[in-house]
Each structure stands twice: as C-alpha cells, then as structure tokens.
Amino acid sequence: MEEAAATGAALPVEAPPTNADLRLLLAVQSRLRTPAVVRTAQLMSHAGEHAAVWIAAGAAGALVDRGRRREWVEATAAVVAAHGASVVLKRVTRRTRPQHPHLLVHAGTPSRWSLPSSHATSTTAAVVAFGRLLGARRLAPLTPAMALSRLVVGVHYPSDVAAGSALGAAVAGVAPRVLRLLPAPLGRTRADRRR
C-alpha cells in the first residue's frame, strides 16, 4: 500500500475483508449462491422468524402426544426462553449486521443487531429440547442447516450463529432443572419427577 502511494499508483477501490468472520461469510455466499439454495435459505429464514416454526411444532407435539403433553409444553417453553434470551443479548452486544460491497442480503430482519443469531438459538434449543422426545439424532442436522442458511441469506457472521447455537443448547440444557425448582403447577410435582 505504501509503495503504491509512493509511486502514485491507484489504490484498490474496495479493501479486502479484514477479518476471518467476514471472509468466511463471503466464502460461504460465493459457494452457495444457486437459486435453489438461496430460496431454501429464505424459506428457513421465514419459518424460523421469532421461533415460529418451533413453537408451532411444540404445540403440535402437545396436541398429538397427549401422554407427554407436559414434556412438550416444557420443551416449547425452553425454545421460547432461548429465543427471548437471544433478543435480550442482541441489545447488550449491539453488533451490527454484516456489511460489505460483495455481500448479498436475501432476507429482511426485524432489527439491525446480529449477535447472537436468534434463528440459530431457537433452532438449537428446539433440537435439544425436542430431541429428548423425538430422538436427538433425527433432529441434529437442523442446527447446522439453520446456521448455514443465515450465512447464505447474508444477515449473520459465522460467530453470530456459533454464539446462538451455544446459547440455545445452554438454555435448553438447564431448562428441565429450572422447571423442577418451580412450584406446581408451573413446575413438576414429585410424582412427575419420578417418571
């Protein structure tokens, strides 16, 4: 750069990405930009907005699986709690969403804050909480799929989705213990705990 300035040569108009997070985001977008992949990522974005798809899945589970209705309600509560935690943390971290001349944004967002990804948070919480009821192996692919979709639509850095996944797993992991501490009818009764 100094050499170019000294010789009077023109400097590049656009500087290359300055951090690994942005470089990885741009690399994902450049490799996964087919219309079908982008459309799928957009559909996942709409479905995951405000954890809607996971709340609907939990409600359906509670309606269909009457014998484990309480467990479905608790699992759905864990997803809602995780989503709420991500929204609060966004306002604490106040990291703005990715911006770069080569970045393509394929989805709208409800706010300008990006850390952590609420989609990754609620999806991971759903995988952990619903995985106890349906089998974790069946649901495990949903977490990386949703995380990747957030990069494809260009609204999150990789570290945003990693932080969201960690938060979702943590909240869903502690939720059963927290619910045991609550008094009935919110918490489990002694008879429920012995099941």
Side-chain angles (χ1 to χ4, degrees):
M1 289 275 208
E2 291 174 355
E3 195 178 326
T7 61
L11 294 173
V13 176
E14 295 174 2
T18 55
N19 62 60
D21 228 9
L22 182 56
R23 284 196 300 273
L24 182 54
L25 170 57
L26 292 172
V28 167
Q29 275 211 330
S30 71
R31 285 168 179 77
L32 300 175
R33 60 184 176 202
T34 64
V37 170
V38 171
R39 272 195 304 275
T40 301
Q42 288 172 322
L43 287 171
M44 293 177 74
S45 181
H46 290 304
E49 196 66 53
H50 306 296
V53 70
W54 309 125
I55 294 169
L63 287 171
V64 173
D65 190 0
R66 293 182 180 186
R68 297 189 297 175
R69 180 169 287 163
R70 176 186 285 273
E71 288 86 346
W72 278 104
V73 169
E74 290 174 355
T76 306
V79 172
V80 171
H83 179 74
S86 74
V87 171
V88 170
L89 279 175
K90 278 181 198 273
R91 280 148 182 78
V92 172
T93 61
R94 300 178 72 83
R95 177 195 258 182
T96 55
R97 294 193 186 269
Q99 293 181 1
H100 188 271
H102 296 152
L103 183 69
L104 301 174
V105 178
H106 300 289
T109 58
S111 79
R112 62 185 178 151
W113 311 123
S114 70
L115 178 67
S117 162
S118 294
H119 282 70
T121 302
S122 60
T123 298
T124 305
V127 166
V128 172
F130 298 160
R132 294 185 193 109
L133 299 164
L134 299 173
R137 283 188 188 173
R138 289 182 187 173
L139 302 181
L142 295 173
T143 294
M146 183 62 85
L148 193 59
S149 78
R150 306 310 286 156
L151 306 183
V152 170
V153 296
V155 295
H156 282 291
Y157 291 104
S159 59
D160 296 337
V161 295
S165 293
L167 176 62
V171 172
V174 301
R177 287 178 229 141
V178 171
L179 287 168
R180 282 187 208 108
L181 299 174
L182 296 175
L186 294 175
R188 289 174 173 248
T189 64
R190 285 184 183 166
D192 291 330
R193 290 175 205 167
R194 284 196 293 267
R195 275 200 237 160

